[in-house]
């Protein structure tokens, strides 16, 4: 059945995605393969699912569209600023992030990823059991990957403090002042200001990895001006703890002749080629003096790996150092002391490269260590992606996931759960709980246009976080994280009645540690 009342609220930018949804009713979804909480039972989630949801499937992304395109140009979004992070400026961004994490009252986060569901048969079924839903989501999260991670740090400042001196005292600060001439909100007498620092991390796995891409997810991201070239070319590498441990294990085994990954069979096409290289190594060995080196150019990377293995196995006084960039191997004629020195130096280089590839995991570990409250919107997917791709593989059962997630992040707020279950917020919204009014864009528009700052909260953004006023940034992870935090502050301020109660409520509140689950009348209780 067509719901015309709902249909008129969907912007033109959703047309292609809506057509994709209709096409799925008659055919399976196409997937592309690319290479490169405290354990409690589920509790009811009041009025989060409506009759329309039982007949129409909306993905997590679709539910977050604005109710109208004009919401992109609200007074707040016109002054939104963020730091766009790639592998080229990650070191500076990481240092800035750590500096402000320690003083953050909370952080909000969001992901953009390559897909939601593995197939049409894996779509969520209305009010299926939590364990059945978790199993579907777990399988999907294992096969898809995140492409952007947005984190917005929210630091409380005194209401009457001069914003021009926010970072006063910091010698040669890279964030000298907050733009007091163009604040998102004017700081009014008696209100408290929160400084928002939003980081938009473009991320991409840099080690060998196979993952899936959902075609409708690509269409959605392209429609929202997502820059795939930037992500693939300049994305910050990431891995979880298990993947990192395997990499470290391989580095520790570096230089050992007993390590044999490949079998050099005489019938293999590479056999004669590698034999020719080994004859060159033998000639070098016959004439070399201690400490002498020679560069041996190798045509293919696979030959390079085979050659390294065979040299270590056959020639105890020749040590090979591979240079994949130049496609060559540097031969060293060595004794035991020289060999140990080279191995130590190469291990240090490899560990440094691993540290670089593990940059995003260090960001997540710093959040875990800080015990900072985290905020998401309709965040079940976000939390699953966060845990699996940056901490460790998802456990097999939901109860284990809840306990492990709660151990890592003791305080989690889901703004979707808050607006659907807070009596004060529902009264504020006139008990209008239609899906199109519960998505992030609509809630953000309401919070910025209707919740006046004299009630106690204003938002300020520093100069360092570059101006995004000239472009639409909806569904960019950094901007969605900023919107999520704004919704959290404005609505929780209404619930908590005063700035003091708000700051207290952001650390511990009965609305916390409850995660909304789409297409279900329950939530995940941590």
């Amino acid at each position: 059945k067509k719901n015309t009342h709902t249909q008129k609220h969907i912007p033109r930018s959703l047309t292609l995605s809506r057509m994709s949804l209709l096409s799925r009713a008659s055919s399976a979804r196409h997937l592309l393969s690319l290479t490169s909480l405290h354990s409690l039972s589920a509790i009811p989630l009041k009025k989060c699912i409506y009759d329309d949801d039982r007949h129409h499937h909306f993905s997590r992304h679709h539910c977050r569209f604005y109710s109208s395109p004009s919401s992109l140009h609200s007074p707040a979004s016109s002054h939104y600023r963020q730091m766009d992070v790639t592998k080229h400026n990650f070191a500076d961004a990481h240092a800035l992030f750590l500096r402000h994490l320690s003083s953050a009252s909370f952080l909000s986060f969001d992901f953009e990823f390559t897909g939601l569901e593995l197939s049409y048969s894996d779509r969520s079924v209305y009010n299926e059991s939590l364990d059945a839903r978790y199993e579907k989501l777990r399988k999907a999260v294992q096969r898809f990957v995140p492409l952007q991670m947005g984190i917005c740090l929210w630091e409380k400042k005194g209401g009457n403090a001069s914003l021009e001196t926010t970072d006063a005292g910091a010698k040669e600060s890279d964030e000298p002042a907050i733009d007091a001439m163009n604040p998102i909100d004017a700081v009014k007498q008696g209100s408290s200001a929160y400084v928002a620092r939003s980081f938009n991390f473009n991320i991409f796995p840099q080690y060998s990895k196979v993952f899936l891409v959902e075609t409708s997810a690509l269409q959605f991201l392209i429609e929202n001006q997502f820059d795939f070239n930037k992500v693939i070319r300049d994305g910050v590498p990431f891995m979880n703890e298990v993947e990192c441990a395997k990499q470290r294990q391989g580095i520790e085994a570096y230089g050992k002749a007993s390590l044999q990954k490949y079998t050099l069979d005489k019938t293999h096409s590479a056999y004669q080629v590698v034999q020719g290289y080994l004859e060159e190594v033998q000639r070098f060995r016959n004439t070399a003096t201690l400490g002498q080196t020679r560069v041996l150019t190798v045509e293919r990377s696979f030959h390079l790996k085979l050659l390294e293995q065979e040299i270590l196995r056959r020639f105890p006084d020749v040590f090979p150092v591979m240079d994949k960039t130049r496609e060559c191997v540097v031969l060293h004629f060595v004794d035991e002391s020289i060999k140990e020195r080279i191995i130590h130096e190469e291990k240090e280089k490899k560990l440094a490269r691993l540290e670089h590839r593990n940059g995003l995991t260090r960001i997540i570990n710093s959040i875990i260590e800080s015990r900072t409250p985290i905020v998401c919107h309709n965040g079940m997917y976000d939390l699953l992606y966060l845990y699996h791709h940056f901490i460790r593989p998802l456990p097999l059962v939901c109860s284990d996931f809840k306990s492990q997630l709660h151990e890592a992040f003791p305080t989690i707020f889901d703004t979707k759960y808050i607006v659907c279950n807070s009596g004060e917020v529902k009264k504020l919204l006139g008990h209008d709980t239609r899906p199109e009014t519960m998505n992030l864009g609509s809630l953000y528009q309401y919070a910025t246009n209707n919740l006046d700052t004299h009630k106690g909260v204003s938002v300020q953004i520093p100069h360092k976080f570059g101006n995004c006023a000239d472009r639409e940034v909806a569904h960019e992870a950094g901007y969605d994280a900023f919107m999520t935090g704004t919704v959290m502050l404005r609505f929780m301020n209404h619930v908590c009645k005063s700035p003091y109660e708000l700051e207290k409520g952001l650390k511990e509140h009965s609305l916390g540690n409850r995660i909304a689950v789409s297409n279900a009348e329950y939530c995940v209780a941590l």
Side-chain angles (χ1 to χ4, degrees):
K1 296 180 180 180
K2 180 185 290 186
N3 187 324
T4 55
H5 185 69
T6 301
Q7 188 93 353
K8 69 180 182 181
H9 286 83
I10 300 177
R12 285 177 296 174
S13 56
L14 188 54
T15 302
L16 184 55
S17 294
R18 186 170 63 246
M19 291 172 63
S20 299
L21 289 171
L22 294 174
S23 68
R24 292 177 208 161
S26 58
S27 63
R29 182 168 308 168
H30 297 287
L31 297 173
L32 303 177
S33 179
L34 301 181
T35 58
S36 80
L37 292 149
H38 196 67
S39 183
L40 297 173
S41 59
I43 65 172
L45 177 59
K46 300 177 182 177
K47 296 185 179 179
C48 266
I49 298 300
Y50 315 94
D51 291 339
D52 288 340
D53 286 335
R54 305 185 190 194
H55 302 289
H56 301 284
H57 173 63
F58 287 85
S59 75
R60 168 186 174 273
H61 287 301
H62 300 149
C63 290
R64 298 171 73 160
F65 264 100
Y66 296 95
S67 58
S68 68
S70 63
S71 63
L72 289 168
H73 307 292
S74 68
S77 65
S78 65
H79 299 296
Y80 165 69
R81 298 170 185 269
Q82 71 172 16
M83 174 173 281
D84 196 56
V85 183
T86 66
K87 63 184 179 183
H88 304 297
N89 67 341
F90 175 77
D92 292 338
H94 185 210
L96 188 63
F97 183 91
L98 292 181
R99 194 176 84 190
H100 292 294
L101 175 63
S102 60
S103 57
S105 297
F106 70 97
L107 65 85
S108 48
F109 77 101
D110 179 80
F111 282 106
E112 301 298 335
F113 28 76
T114 62
L116 291 168
E117 296 164 347
L118 291 174
S119 66
Y120 185 80
S121 62
D122 286 317
R123 57 174 289 189
S124 60
V125 177
Y126 174 70
N127 234 22
E128 63 189 334
S129 72
L130 178 57
D131 288 334
R133 177 70 60 85
Y134 174 79
E135 179 61 16
K136 290 180 179 179
L137 298 181
R138 185 182 69 85
K139 289 180 179 178
V141 169
Q142 288 175 333
R143 300 305 305 277
F144 299 117
V145 296
L147 298 177
Q148 272 187 351
M149 177 176 70
I151 303 179
C152 190
L153 300 176
W154 297 82
E155 179 183 355
K156 184 178 183 298
K157 294 292 182 182
N160 297 319
S162 171
L163 292 173
E164 289 292 342
T165 60
T166 297
D167 291 298
K171 196 172 183 180
E172 296 181 0
S173 172
D174 55 357
E175 188 179 356
I178 290 177
D179 189 354
M181 299 302 294
N182 257 330
I184 283 184
D185 299 315
V187 184
K188 300 186 178 182
Q189 187 70 24
S191 69
S192 59
Y194 281 81
V195 180
R197 298 179 175 92
S198 185
F199 298 79
N200 187 65
F201 295 96
N202 298 280
I203 61 179
F204 196 74
Q206 296 295 304
Y207 53 92
S208 179
K209 189 179 185 72
V210 179
F211 61 94
L212 296 179
V213 173
E214 187 179 3
T215 54
S216 61
L218 292 183
Q219 292 168 348
F220 171 84
L221 292 172
I222 286 293
E223 288 168 2
N224 286 277
Q225 293 77 51
F226 191 87
D227 190 343
F228 286 97
N229 287 329
K230 182 201 291 188
V231 165
I232 296 172
R233 182 184 59 241
D234 302 324
V236 181
F238 66 90
M239 63 182 73
N240 63 32
E241 293 175 0
V242 173
E243 292 165 333
C244 184
K246 289 181 179 179
Q247 295 280 324
R248 288 185 183 278
Q249 187 178 7
I251 293 173
E252 289 302 318
Y254 175 75
K256 295 181 179 179
S258 59
L259 185 65
Q260 186 165 346
K261 294 182 179 180
Y262 312 101
T263 301
L264 193 61
D265 193 295
K266 291 184 178 182
T267 61
H268 197 285
S269 60
Y271 179 80
Q272 291 299 328
V273 177
V274 174
Q275 282 298 116
Y277 290 135
L278 290 173
E279 290 173 4
E280 288 290 326
V281 175
Q282 182 65 58
R283 284 193 286 270
F284 166 73
R285 179 172 179 259
N286 292 339
T287 60
T289 58
L290 190 65
Q292 188 175 343
T293 63
R294 178 183 172 182
V295 176
L296 187 62
T297 302
V298 180
E299 294 179 356
R300 296 179 58 187
S301 59
F302 178 62
H303 295 163
L304 199 61
K305 294 174 182 178
L306 278 172
L307 182 59
E308 180 193 40
Q309 173 184 287
E310 292 304 305
I311 292 174
L312 290 172
R313 192 171 66 86
R314 299 186 188 189
F315 305 105
D317 50 1
V318 177
F319 190 83
V321 177
M322 290 197 301
D323 188 334
K324 293 181 181 179
T325 304
R326 296 163 54 197
E327 294 186 336
C328 67
V329 57
V330 181
L331 305 175
H332 296 258
F333 192 68
V334 298
D335 58 13
E336 282 302 315
S337 63
I338 296 176
K339 181 188 289 188
E340 289 179 5
R341 176 178 57 80
I342 294 174
I343 290 176
H344 175 74
E345 291 173 354
E346 291 300 311
K347 280 185 177 181
E348 290 298 311
K349 292 177 184 178
K350 290 176 180 292
L351 288 171
R353 288 194 292 268
L354 177 60
E355 190 75 1
H356 170 72
R357 293 196 300 269
N358 203 29
L360 262 295
T361 304
R362 286 184 283 135
I363 289 279
I364 302 304
N365 286 340
S366 65
I367 295 172
I368 292 173
E369 292 170 5
S370 72
R371 317 302 276 177
T372 303
I374 66 174
V375 180
C376 52
H377 179 81
N378 200 19
M380 188 64 176
Y381 265 108
D382 295 293
L383 291 167
L384 289 166
Y385 272 90
L386 174 65
Y387 194 89
H388 180 76
H389 291 284
F390 299 94
I391 301 177
R392 62 182 68 93
L394 288 168
L396 294 176
V397 296
C398 187
S399 58
D400 290 341
F401 167 67
K402 291 192 296 181
S403 61
Q404 293 173 25
L405 181 69
H406 185 67
E407 181 181 357
F409 306 104
T411 306
I412 302 175
F413 288 94
D414 188 328
T415 51
K416 175 73 176 290
Y417 178 85
I418 291 172
V419 298
C420 290
N421 288 269
S422 166
E424 294 92 338
V425 173
K426 288 193 290 185
K427 183 178 179 181
L428 186 68
L429 296 173
H431 296 276
D432 182 3
T433 53
R434 292 171 298 159
E436 62 267 27
T437 63
M438 291 293 103
N439 65 55
L440 178 59
S442 296
L443 292 171
Y444 174 73
Q445 185 179 16
Y446 184 92
T448 54
N449 293 340
N450 297 286
L451 298 182
D452 199 356
T453 57
H454 78 269
K455 299 276 178 96
V457 176
S458 59
V459 177
Q460 308 293 315
I461 299 179
H463 276 303
K464 181 69 177 179
F465 295 79
N467 201 338
C468 298
D470 297 329
R471 62 190 180 93
E472 297 178 356
V473 290
H475 302 289
E476 190 172 70
Y479 184 54
D480 283 358
F482 170 76
M483 288 198 298
T484 298
T486 303
V487 169
M488 176 70 179
L489 272 178
R490 292 294 174 81
F491 283 106
M492 282 297 289
N493 180 61
H494 184 80
V495 171
C496 296
K497 308 300 184 185
S498 72
Y500 170 77
E501 290 297 326
L502 172 62
E503 188 69 9
K504 182 180 177 181
L506 291 173
K507 295 180 175 63
E508 182 178 353
H509 197 280
S510 59
L511 292 170
N513 288 336
R514 300 289 185 270
I515 311 304
V517 179
S518 298
N519 203 23
E521 290 186 346
Y522 54 75
C523 73
V524 175
L526 305 184

